[in-house]
Amino acid sequence: MSETDDDPRSVDDGARIRIGLIVPSSNTTAEPEFRRALPEGVTVHGARMVLESVTVDELDAMSEGAVRAAELLGHADVDAVAYACTTGSLLHGPGFDVELEERVSAAAGAPAVATARSVVRALEALDAERIAVATPYTADLDEKERAFLEAAGFGVVALEGLGIEANVEIGALTPADAREQVRTLVGDEALAPGDDVDAVFVSCTNYTSLAAVDELEADLGVPVVTSNGATLWDVLRVLAADGADAPETGTGSGLCGTLAVDGSGALFERASPGRR
């Protein structure tokens, strides 16, 4: 048996990267969106934390399961971990997202990213200062998200939530729903004069919106970042920083030489994965 046969992650057409993905138990979107964007040679391994309704209380209780989920992913010898829940990683305000990344990384024994911090890194990498935010959330979570983004230094010019609490209902939303919501939020004559934005953020890892990015960017002329898109981009960034070959920029960008990422939109086309 050859040296490459000993480790399936070392062969060009085999699984050479394992990504651990921590999601709420009711999330039906993050894993499919990650898998569609990644080549066959990169595998995604899920772990779940209990959550049915996207409320402050349930999100708070869910966070207790993050470390255990990361420990279990560590048993699979994953190369990096993505904690894929936006509000779950910003719930307790600035600094909680960084602390969460550190806790998950220590438990899994691998580098880790958390969606809220991934979104901040992505928007910074795109040089966005003034943003519009579309969410599926209720008003109280929208305000927590606004406060988090403003504390991170972004001007939130417009924010709209759909008022949905049940996470399975959020998971039933489609890219067409995302397109309609964003166009209502920032389309022609939606914003007051002088309220132009540098980017749009579609929040929630259970909102199926990554497939809407290219069409929205073509219509609006600004980058559109989604929760799963930012998290995927960021976990690839930390994989590169941890010793893998740095991904090239561009849709279909190379990862580790032979693996390709079918990322959508300006984030994958223009932002440097090496930027922190």
Side-chain angles (χ1 to χ4, degrees), residues 89-161:
S89 52
L90 61 78
L91 184 66
H92 296 294
F96 178 69
D97 51 340
V98 176
E99 176 188 338
L100 184 60
E101 288 184 337
E102 293 171 349
R103 290 168 56 207
V104 167
S105 177
V113 302
T115 298
R117 181 50 42 183
S118 296
V119 169
V120 170
R121 293 185 184 114
L123 292 170
E124 288 177 344
L126 292 166
D127 295 319
E129 296 180 358
R130 293 164 57 80
I131 63 174
V133 183
T135 91
Y137 310 132
T138 55
D140 56 344
L141 287 176
D142 282 342
E143 290 312 305
K144 286 185 178 294
E145 182 146 346
R146 180 193 296 274
F148 173 84
L149 291 167
E150 289 178 344
F154 303 106
V156 179
V157 173
L159 187 150
E160 179 192 61

Side-chain angles (χ1 to χ4, degrees), residues 259-270:
L259 302 179
V261 179
D262 187 16
S264 295
L267 177 60
F268 282 87
E269 292 169 1
R270 292 176 10 213

